[in-house]
Amino acid sequence: MVKTFTRMAVAGAAVVSVLAVTASQAQAAVLDTNRTISNSHGKFTFTDDGDVFEVCDTKADGYGMTGRLQESGSNDYVLTVTDGGDAGCDKKGYNIGNLREYQMSLSWNGGGATVRSIWFNE
């Protein structure tokens, strides 16, 4: 009888473990995949809720910032957002999905290196 109870307890613990892992994976799939890349002159942010890309020029140096979105398998950019010379940040919407990978890049319009995100999707 003790062996039967022990087996049932082990089996029950295994079921609970599987359910906990499944629930946490499902919860992770629901969470937004927001991304931000930045340098010393500004930042480029993707907000998954609404698929909005926002570029912010954080230095009043006479140059602006340009954020670009590239789709995998293409050398062209599917979205370009620039900011500079005005108050606030500039943003645009672009619907991305799970079928392709995307990469964000951020450039200071005064020169220098471009910052890139990892490839991602929703």
Side-chain angles (χ1 to χ4, degrees):
M1 177 112 140
V2 172
K3 286 184 180 181
T4 302
F5 179 73
T6 302
R7 287 181 188 152
M8 287 175 38
V10 170
V15 168
V16 168
S17 297
V18 168
L19 290 175
V21 169
T22 303
S24 64
Q25 287 175 347
Q27 182 180 8
V30 172
L31 297 177
D32 290 334
T33 307
N34 299 332
R35 304 213 176 267
T36 298
I37 57 176
S38 62
N39 62 20
S40 62
H41 299 277
K43 64 182 181 174
F44 187 25
T45 301
F46 167 65
T47 304
D48 190 17
D49 184 15
D51 287 356
V52 176
F53 291 86
E54 179 178 60
V55 173
C56 296
D57 181 5
T58 58
K59 281 204 173 175
D61 56 10
Y63 299 97
M65 300 296 297
T66 300
R68 294 181 177 91
L69 181 67
Q70 182 177 3
E71 189 176 75
S72 63
S74 173
N75 291 327
D76 298 326
Y77 295 107
V78 295
L79 177 74
T80 300
V81 184
T82 58
D83 184 49
D86 61 352
C89 303
D90 289 348
K91 55 185 158 184
K92 290 183 182 177
Y94 185 82
N95 188 23
I96 68 169
N98 291 321
L99 299 179
R100 302 297 294 260
E101 296 279 314
Y102 296 87
Q103 184 179 51
M104 296 164 47
S105 62
L106 178 67
S107 302
W108 176 54
N109 297 341
T114 298
V115 178
R116 298 185 190 284
S117 72
I118 62 170
W119 289 93
F120 69 97
N121 63 18
E122 284 189 305

